[in-house]
């Protein structure tokens, strides 16, 4: 697709349209608004961790006696959500930081972020 303006195909509808819009906004935020990129990714990490904690709570509640299922669900969800949310949150924030760093410094570095040859002046 040469020339201006670039004509993009219409976005898909429904749930995939929301995901596509989120990904496009996130790509923009990596370069122009990293704080929003961190906040959006943190929200997704917390929602995903809490959802997995709720699934763990539901499966534990189904295995317990009927009289205490609600209490088992609540306690298990609370405990499992913490186990899921913390690594998701830390990993997502590190990933956003790396993506922002890569996009902002792509023209300045000669090697990868993990290589030292470009960082030490070609040593």
């Amino acid at each position: 697709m040469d020339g201006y303006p670039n004509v993009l195909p219409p976005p898909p509808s429904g749930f995939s349209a929301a995901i596509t819009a989120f990904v496009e906004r996130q790509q923009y935020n990596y370069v122009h608004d990293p704080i929003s990129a961190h906040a959006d990714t943190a929200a997704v990490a917390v929602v995903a961790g809490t959802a997995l904690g709720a699934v763990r709570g539901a499966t534990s509640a189904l295995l317990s006696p009927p009289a205490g299922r609600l209490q088992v669900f609540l306690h298990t969800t609370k405990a499992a959500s913490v186990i899921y949310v913390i690594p998701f949150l830390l990993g997502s924030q590190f990933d956003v930081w790396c993506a922002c760093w890569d996009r902002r410094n792509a023209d300045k570095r000669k090697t990868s972020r993990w290589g030292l040859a470009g960082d030490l002046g070609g040593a």
Side-chain angles (χ1 to χ4, degrees), residues 21-42 95-101 103-104:
F22 176 76
V23 169
E24 288 174 358
R25 186 180 71 214
Q26 193 72 353
Q27 295 296 327
Y28 174 82
N29 286 342
Y30 285 152
V31 176
H32 301 289
D33 193 8
I35 296 205
S36 291
H38 280 283
D40 291 345
T41 307
D95 184 51
V96 169
W97 178 81
C98 289
C100 291
W101 194 92
R103 283 165 177 79
R104 286 185 172 212

Side-chain angles (χ1 to χ4, degrees), residues 37-50 81-97:
H38 280 283
D40 291 345
T41 307
V44 170
V46 169
V47 167
T50 305
S81 293
V82 173
I83 293 170
Y84 288 119
V85 167
I86 291 173
F88 285 1
L89 189 61
L90 293 176
S92 68
Q93 295 307 298
F94 179 70
D95 184 51
V96 169
W97 178 81

Side-chain angles (χ1 to χ4, degrees), residues 43-66:
V44 170
V46 169
V47 167
T50 305
L52 287 175
V55 169
R56 177 66 63 95
T59 56
S60 296
L62 289 174
L63 297 174
S64 66

